[in-house]
Amino acid sequence: GHKGPVTCLSFRTRTLQLFSGSEDRCIRHYNLEEMLFLETLYGHQFGVSGLDCHRRERPVSVGRDRTARAWKIADDSHLIFRGGAKVPPADTVALVKDDWFVTGHENGLLNLWSLDKKRAIYSVDQAHGISSESVSLGRSIVGLTSIKGSDVVASGSNDGYLRFWKVQ
């Protein structure tokens, strides 16, 4: 159903609801229990690079348009989160709890967000250290996951290391 490469997938916790994100700038919502395509979510201006969902029917996505979006499926709307003009696009996102999420960026920035705030509530610059090619550029965060409902987040970088974070 996507018109471009699929870049991310996420099941809603304890359900057979699947969300897929793509370079075609949209997210598709499926119910695999009934083998149905439900809807397409539009809003990103560039490709979707990361997607995650927890208990609520409220997936969170990040895109090359430098935004994170929390989708309110029941209301057919979404919240938009921007990191600012100097923050590069996020490559990945992980929900920690239904109202907290973490984004990982190509310059090594790790941001913690709350659905109640439009700006990141905490940031870690160069979370995986500095790239050997450049003294000022952090190593890209290419993978994020969390133990849903806990305070544990794991990040992975192109340096080959995993880092574990306690979110408070």
Side-chain angles (χ1 to χ4, degrees), residues 8 11-12 15 22 33 43 59 63 86:
C8 47
F11 277 102
R12 183 174 161 211
T15 71
S22 171
E33 194 169 352
K86 295 180 181 170

PDB file of all heavy atoms in Angstrom, residues 8 11-12 15 22 33 43 59 63 86:
ATOM      1  N   CYS A   8       9.894   1.872   8.696  1.00  0.00           N
ATOM      2  CA  CYS A   8       9.718   1.517  10.107  1.00  0.00           C
ATOM      3  C   CYS A   8       8.374   0.824  10.316  1.00  0.00           C
ATOM      4  O   CYS A   8       7.419   1.063   9.582  1.00  0.00           O
ATOM      5  CB  CYS A   8       9.835   2.748  10.993  1.00  0.00           C
ATOM      6  SG  CYS A   8       8.884   4.170  10.431  1.00  0.00           S
ATOM      7  N   PHE A  11       4.181  -2.610  16.252  1.00  0.00           N
ATOM      8  CA  PHE A  11       2.924  -3.150  16.752  1.00  0.00           C
ATOM      9  C   PHE A  11       2.522  -2.365  17.987  1.00  0.00           C
ATOM     10  O   PHE A  11       3.363  -1.985  18.789  1.00  0.00           O
ATOM     11  CB  PHE A  11       3.076  -4.619  17.158  1.00  0.00           C
ATOM     12  CG  PHE A  11       2.966  -5.576  16.014  1.00  0.00           C
ATOM     13  CD1 PHE A  11       4.103  -6.150  15.464  1.00  0.00           C
ATOM     14  CD2 PHE A  11       1.722  -5.911  15.483  1.00  0.00           C
ATOM     15  CE1 PHE A  11       4.002  -7.037  14.417  1.00  0.00           C
ATOM     16  CE2 PHE A  11       1.619  -6.805  14.437  1.00  0.00           C
ATOM     17  CZ  PHE A  11       2.759  -7.370  13.897  1.00  0.00           C
ATOM     18  N   ARG A  12       1.231  -2.169  18.157  1.00  0.00           N
ATOM     19  CA  ARG A  12       0.711  -1.618  19.407  1.00  0.00           C
ATOM     20  C   ARG A  12       0.814  -2.730  20.447  1.00  0.00           C
ATOM     21  O   ARG A  12       0.483  -3.879  20.171  1.00  0.00           O
ATOM     22  CB  ARG A  12      -0.735  -1.172  19.215  1.00  0.00           C
ATOM     23  CG  ARG A  12      -1.329  -0.535  20.431  1.00  0.00           C
ATOM     24  CD  ARG A  12      -2.713   0.001  20.112  1.00  0.00           C
ATOM     25  NE  ARG A  12      -3.446   0.205  21.338  1.00  0.00           N
ATOM     26  CZ  ARG A  12      -4.745   0.086  21.445  1.00  0.00           C
ATOM     27  NH1 ARG A  12      -5.476  -0.226  20.392  1.00  0.00           N
ATOM     28  NH2 ARG A  12      -5.335   0.285  22.597  1.00  0.00           N
ATOM     29  N   THR A  15      -1.515  -6.107  21.118  1.00  0.00           N
ATOM     30  CA  THR A  15      -2.586  -6.121  20.121  1.00  0.00           C
ATOM     31  C   THR A  15      -2.011  -6.623  18.797  1.00  0.00           C
ATOM     32  O   THR A  15      -0.807  -6.806  18.661  1.00  0.00           O
ATOM     33  CB  THR A  15      -3.176  -4.718  19.875  1.00  0.00           C
ATOM     34  OG1 THR A  15      -2.223  -3.924  19.176  1.00  0.00           O
ATOM     35  CG2 THR A  15      -3.592  -4.045  21.163  1.00  0.00           C
ATOM     36  N   SER A  22       6.782   5.225   6.039  1.00  0.00           N
ATOM     37  CA  SER A  22       7.424   5.103   4.732  1.00  0.00           C
ATOM     38  C   SER A  22       8.050   6.415   4.266  1.00  0.00           C
ATOM     39  O   SER A  22       7.734   7.491   4.773  1.00  0.00           O
ATOM     40  CB  SER A  22       6.371   4.639   3.712  1.00  0.00           C
ATOM     41  OG  SER A  22       6.854   4.697   2.401  1.00  0.00           O
ATOM     42  N   GLU A  33      -5.723  -8.803  13.193  1.00  0.00           N
ATOM     43  CA  GLU A  33      -6.681  -9.772  13.706  1.00  0.00           C
ATOM     44  C   GLU A  33      -7.761 -10.036  12.661  1.00  0.00           C
ATOM     45  O   GLU A  33      -8.205 -11.160  12.473  1.00  0.00           O
ATOM     46  CB  GLU A  33      -7.300  -9.250  15.001  1.00  0.00           C
ATOM     47  CG  GLU A  33      -8.032 -10.284  15.793  1.00  0.00           C
ATOM     48  CD  GLU A  33      -8.389  -9.774  17.184  1.00  0.00           C
ATOM     49  OE1 GLU A  33      -7.934  -8.680  17.567  1.00  0.00           O
ATOM     50  OE2 GLU A  33      -9.127 -10.477  17.867  1.00  0.00           O
ATOM     51  N   GLY A  43       0.676  13.846   7.376  1.00  0.00           N
ATOM     52  CA  GLY A  43       1.121  15.007   8.138  1.00  0.00           C
ATOM     53  C   GLY A  43       2.588  15.314   7.955  1.00  0.00           C
ATOM     54  O   GLY A  43       2.971  16.474   7.896  1.00  0.00           O
ATOM     55  N   PRO A  59       0.221   6.200  18.239  1.00  0.00           N
ATOM     56  CA  PRO A  59       1.618   6.016  17.829  1.00  0.00           C
ATOM     57  C   PRO A  59       2.368   7.350  17.795  1.00  0.00           C
ATOM     58  O   PRO A  59       1.757   8.417  17.675  1.00  0.00           O
ATOM     59  CB  PRO A  59       1.506   5.421  16.420  1.00  0.00           C
ATOM     60  CG  PRO A  59       0.172   5.866  15.940  1.00  0.00           C
ATOM     61  CD  PRO A  59      -0.712   5.972  17.147  1.00  0.00           C
ATOM     62  N   GLY A  63      10.238  12.119  11.548  1.00  0.00           N
ATOM     63  CA  GLY A  63      10.448  12.177  10.109  1.00  0.00           C
ATOM     64  C   GLY A  63      11.616  13.061   9.730  1.00  0.00           C
ATOM     65  O   GLY A  63      12.171  13.786  10.554  1.00  0.00           O
ATOM     66  N   LYS A  86      18.150  24.296  14.932  1.00  0.00           N
ATOM     67  CA  LYS A  86      19.499  23.733  14.956  1.00  0.00           C
ATOM     68  C   LYS A  86      19.519  22.226  15.198  1.00  0.00           C
ATOM     69  O   LYS A  86      20.568  21.610  15.157  1.00  0.00           O
ATOM     70  CB  LYS A  86      20.336  24.435  16.019  1.00  0.00           C
ATOM     71  CG  LYS A  86      20.550  25.893  15.701  1.00  0.00           C
ATOM     72  CD  LYS A  86      21.369  26.580  16.754  1.00  0.00           C
ATOM     73  CE  LYS A  86      21.518  28.050  16.380  1.00  0.00           C
ATOM     74  NZ  LYS A  86      22.077  28.833  17.438  1.00  0.00           N
TER      75      LYS A  86
END
